[in-house]
Amino acid sequence: MIKIENLTKIYTHPQTKEKIVALQNVNLEIKSGEIFGIIGPSGAGKSTFIRCLNLLEKPTSGSVWIDGEDITKLSGQQLREKRKQIGMIFQHFNLMSSRTVWQNVAYPMEIAGVDKKTIAQRVEELLELVGLNDKAQVYPAQLSGGQKQRVGIARALANNPKLLLCDEATSALDPQTTKSILQLLLEINRKLKITIILITHEMAVIREICDRVAVINESNIVEINSVLSVFTSPQANITKEFAANGGENFPIETVKLKPGERLYKLSFVGESAEKPIISSAIKKLGIEVNILYANIDRLKDIPFGTLIITVGGSPQQIEQTEQFFTQQGLKMEVLADAGIAR
Amino acid sequence: MQELLVKATLETIYMVAASTFFAVVGGLPLGILLVVTEPNHILENSVVHKILSVIINITRSIPFIILLVTIIPFTKLLVGTFIGTTAAIVPLSVAAMPFFARIVESSLKEVDYGVIEAALAMGSSPGQIIFKVLLPEARASLTLGITITIINLIGYSAMAGAIGGGGLGDVAIRYGYHRRDTVVLTATVIILVGLVQLIQFTGDLIARKLNKK
């Protein structure tokens, strides 16, 4: 549905003529109906990237195909029509302070020439969807951050877009509000089958709602994968940093292994996260297990956990244990080995 | 004396009201054009922006009393004479127009560019951005700007009075200065102070009502 080809954006400083490369030959395809996340450290070019998708930022070269149309080739009027089919929400909400909530949501329909009766009906629907019916006549200044973003979402959905762009939409919100806004986005994605592209610097946002993610660093996409793969087997170094779930910082050097013991990091995903694998291993193989670190997270709907344990036993027991873990679908990494017990 | 003062007050109000009207009609589009043609704004055009800016600066750098005299031929051309209250409206409007344009410029610049971007992202045309976003968002600040312009014009109108423009300034100079009539002089000052207070109060009140931030 959306195809980005060789997208390059170079800024030229107006005085010094110094060139700053924000995006370099970015290629990406986003499927219809998915929630696609783009994560990267600040200054990586992710904001430039999302703003190129509705040409708020004009790419230096490359194409942006949306529904079979290269939007970089559109005329001013054609682009305005196209933009009416693309919703966008912002970090700082960007609501009009002189308009009430109702009038803010009505704005995109007003400029699209929708008749008054339809606007009134649609505004009611949208406010219902985001849960702000009671705030229709209030001005944005009287709303909390989360409520403002809900108005932003209602406004972005007004003309029934097929694509919603989220530019750091939760970065100005507290964790709890972030969660509720993300749940709203997920609900919208499921109910309206709308494609959502979001950029963020928080892995928690990706983990919460995204299907796939692209990791952007230093003007380039360094990794594109399903969220699950990015968490379970991150490839690029920057991805590993983002995917860190606490286990990475575990101070391995402080663990004093006794002879015959091995230190493992286990990752488990989906069903295997719910099975009592460790206790079965202890019962079945008679090994000694010491749990040093454990963490369970959720990737959208899939549970995902990390364990750091020591396992003690004879070389044969250790080997059987490793086989058992692999059979159970765990991802296993040996962090340290004390050698064979004498 | 009472009759004299009432007549002069009405003349001042007439001059100020008419020239405020022309200042807004001329200055508002100029101010809008100044802002939207800025670099990275919706109708970026550095040539138009620079030319406008230079013209406005030139007009603003001429002291009003000199402007008054310099444009006498122009005033004559428009009104037929350069004496009287109606004639005074011409130099007052010419002086207030660029002043108000700068006021509009600074008011519109206060509008968060993020809001304009959001409107662009929704597919707004430049006209829609100007009339449905920029002006409504700046309305409180614009109201205060008009207030400042009116008060400035009251001051200028007194100067226009000095060369036969009529109004309170004229009375103050003729009676208060040339005839040393301190009573009339004091009375005109009191009326002027009252006018300014009233206008500022009303302007503040409207601006507060319009400000939803």
Side-chain angles (χ1 to χ4, degrees):
Chain A
M1 182 213 180
I2 295 154
K3 198 170 167 200
I4 292 116
E5 283 177 337
N6 298 321
L7 186 67
T8 299
K9 174 74 189 181
I10 299 165
Y11 292 103
T12 312
H13 192 280
Q15 269 102 49
T16 61
K17 302 290 167 210
E18 191 191 344
K19 290 196 186 315
I20 300 146
V21 179
L23 292 170
Q24 180 99 57
N25 273 321
V26 171
N27 287 285
L28 190 61
E29 253 179 84
I30 293 159
K31 293 176 218 145
S32 242
E34 75 177 330
I35 304 186
F36 193 93
I38 293 151
I39 190 165
S42 36
K46 54 190 192 305
S47 197
T48 306
F49 176 79
I50 199 156
R51 291 157 56 84
C52 281
L53 299 186
N54 60 2
L55 295 201
L56 279 183
E57 211 70 74
K58 207 160 172 18
T60 309
S61 64
S63 331
V64 178
W65 296 86
I66 297 179
D67 286 330
E69 213 173 357
D70 182 358
I71 62 164
T72 62
K73 301 274 190 299
L74 297 178
S75 71
Q77 181 55 37
Q78 286 170 322
L79 176 63
R80 287 199 280 277
E81 288 312 312
K82 192 79 190 175
R83 278 173 171 169
K84 285 171 187 156
Q85 300 158 28
I86 305 172
M88 189 169 195
I89 57 174
F90 304 85
Q91 179 173 7
H92 299 296
F93 326 120
N94 297 347
L95 301 176
M96 289 180 230
S97 60
S98 60
R99 284 178 170 242
T100 61
V101 166
W102 198 100
Q103 291 166 331
N104 264 289
V105 178
Y107 179 81
M109 293 181 274
E110 255 174 52
I111 60 162
V114 178
D115 66 277
K116 284 202 169 123
K117 220 179 121 198
T118 318
I119 292 181
Q121 216 177 334
R122 183 86 183 117
V123 172
E124 294 303 315
E125 268 173 43
L126 288 160
L127 290 179
E128 173 89 48
L129 178 71
V130 300
L132 283 180
N133 303 65
D134 54 329
K135 301 281 183 204
Q137 298 312 322
V138 159
Y139 287 91
Q142 291 151 270
L143 299 177
S144 69
Q147 289 171 328
K148 282 182 195 164
Q149 197 56 290
R150 284 170 187 271
V151 178
I153 292 171
R155 179 175 73 171
L157 296 176
N159 286 327
N160 295 303
K162 279 177 274 175
L163 173 62
L164 179 63
L165 306 174
C166 310
D167 186 357
E168 296 273 9
T170 58
S171 301
L173 303 173
D174 62 68
Q176 218 168 350
T177 315
T178 295
K179 244 186 181 149
S180 79
I181 292 294
L182 292 177
Q183 283 314 307
L184 177 62
L185 290 175
L186 191 58
E187 187 190 321
I188 286 163
N189 165 258
R190 284 177 178 161
K191 231 190 228 170
L192 310 174
K193 312 270 174 269
I194 187 171
T195 311
I196 297 180
I197 302 176
L198 61 87
I199 63 162
T200 180
H201 59 268
E202 293 170 301
M203 206 58 183
V205 171
I206 302 283
R207 197 170 62 203
E208 201 77 31
I209 62 167
C210 290
D211 300 306
R212 287 199 306 148
V213 60
V215 183
I216 204 163
N217 194 26
E218 289 167 1
S219 321
N220 271 303
I221 290 186
V222 290
E223 191 162 349
I224 306 173
N225 222 325
S226 70
V227 173
L228 199 59
S229 309
V230 162
F231 270 97
T232 51
S233 44
Q235 302 299 313
N237 282 334
I238 184 89
T239 319
K240 284 178 189 159
E241 277 174 39
F242 274 120
N245 46 28
E248 283 69 15
N249 299 327
F250 185 80
I252 297 169
E253 61 284 355
T254 62
V255 180
K256 295 208 167 49
L257 292 178
K258 283 176 277 189
E261 278 185 343
R262 268 186 172 187
L263 183 66
Y264 294 97
K265 178 180 167 188
L266 305 173
S267 313
F268 41 94
V269 173
E271 275 179 35
S272 65
E274 287 155 11
K275 283 191 271 181
I277 296 175
I278 303 296
S279 73
S280 337
I282 297 170
K283 278 185 221 152
K284 222 167 121 182
L285 304 167
I287 48 170
E288 281 200 38
V289 174
N290 188 13
I291 298 178
L292 303 175
Y293 173 89
N295 181 44
I296 283 208
D297 266 322
R298 200 168 37 78
L299 300 175
K300 211 165 176 180
D301 301 318
I302 307 163
F304 164 64
T306 307
L307 260 188
I308 293 181
I309 58 170
T310 61
V311 175
S314 67
Q316 203 191 352
Q317 278 172 313
I318 297 274
E319 196 183 313
Q320 283 171 338
T321 308
E322 290 183 359
Q323 273 174 8
F324 178 71
F325 286 160
T326 315
Q327 275 166 16
Q328 296 295 322
L330 301 193
K331 201 177 149 265
M332 184 182 66
E333 197 184 324
V334 181
L335 298 177
D337 187 351
I340 299 164
R342 274 164 293 164
Chain B
M1 186 182 90
Q2 209 179 346
E3 204 180 317
L4 178 80
L5 287 175
V6 170
K7 184 170 168 276
T9 309
L10 289 178
E11 277 173 356
T12 295
I13 291 174
Y14 164 64
M15 277 190 286
V16 171
S19 46
T20 302
F21 172 77
F22 290 116
V24 171
V25 166
L28 189 64
L30 282 179
I32 293 171
L33 213 54
L34 261 182
V35 171
V36 296
T37 53
E38 263 188 6
N40 296 321
H41 216 288
I42 51 171
L43 292 173
E44 175 174 357
N45 188 327
S46 58
V47 178
V48 172
H49 183 79
K50 276 183 191 139
I51 292 176
L52 266 181
S53 192
V54 167
I55 293 175
I56 288 174
N57 285 345
I58 291 173
T59 348
R60 286 202 60 203
S61 52
I62 304 172
F64 180 66
I65 197 87
I66 296 172
L67 181 86
L68 205 61
V69 183
T70 343
I71 65 163
I72 282 178
F74 178 65
T75 311
K76 263 186 166 168
L77 190 78
L78 277 184
V79 196
T81 171
F82 66 93
I83 295 169
T85 37
T86 307
I89 292 169
V90 179
L92 285 174
S93 305
V94 170
M97 225 180 263
F99 174 79
F100 187 62
R102 285 289 181 207
I103 296 241
V104 170
E105 183 192 21
S106 76
S107 288
L108 297 187
K109 273 185 175 174
E110 282 167 28
V111 177
D112 178 10
Y113 197 73
V115 177
I116 298 164
E117 273 197 335
L120 281 175
M122 287 183 265
S124 312
S125 66
Q128 286 165 331
I129 298 223
I130 292 168
F131 293 106
K132 284 176 168 283
V133 182
L134 271 179
L135 293 178
E137 285 292 289
R139 62 192 184 184
S141 166
L142 285 172
T143 308
L144 290 176
I146 293 175
T147 312
I148 293 175
T149 309
I150 295 174
I151 290 173
N152 252 325
L153 278 169
I154 292 179
Y156 283 178
S157 77
M159 274 193 254
I163 64 149
L168 288 166
D170 188 24
V171 168
I173 287 185
R174 274 193 291 134
Y175 290 77
Y177 184 66
H178 294 304
R179 300 188 196 171
R180 314 267 154 125
D181 184 340
T182 31
V183 179
V184 174
L185 184 65
T186 316
T188 53
V189 171
I190 290 172
I191 295 172
L192 284 171
V193 169
L195 266 180
V196 170
Q197 291 291 350
L198 182 73
I199 286 160
Q200 188 66 55
F201 175 79
T202 317
D204 285 346
L205 191 77
I206 298 173
R208 216 173 315 130
K209 279 249 151 64
L210 290 176
N211 189 4
K212 302 297 181 186
K213 270 184 201 161

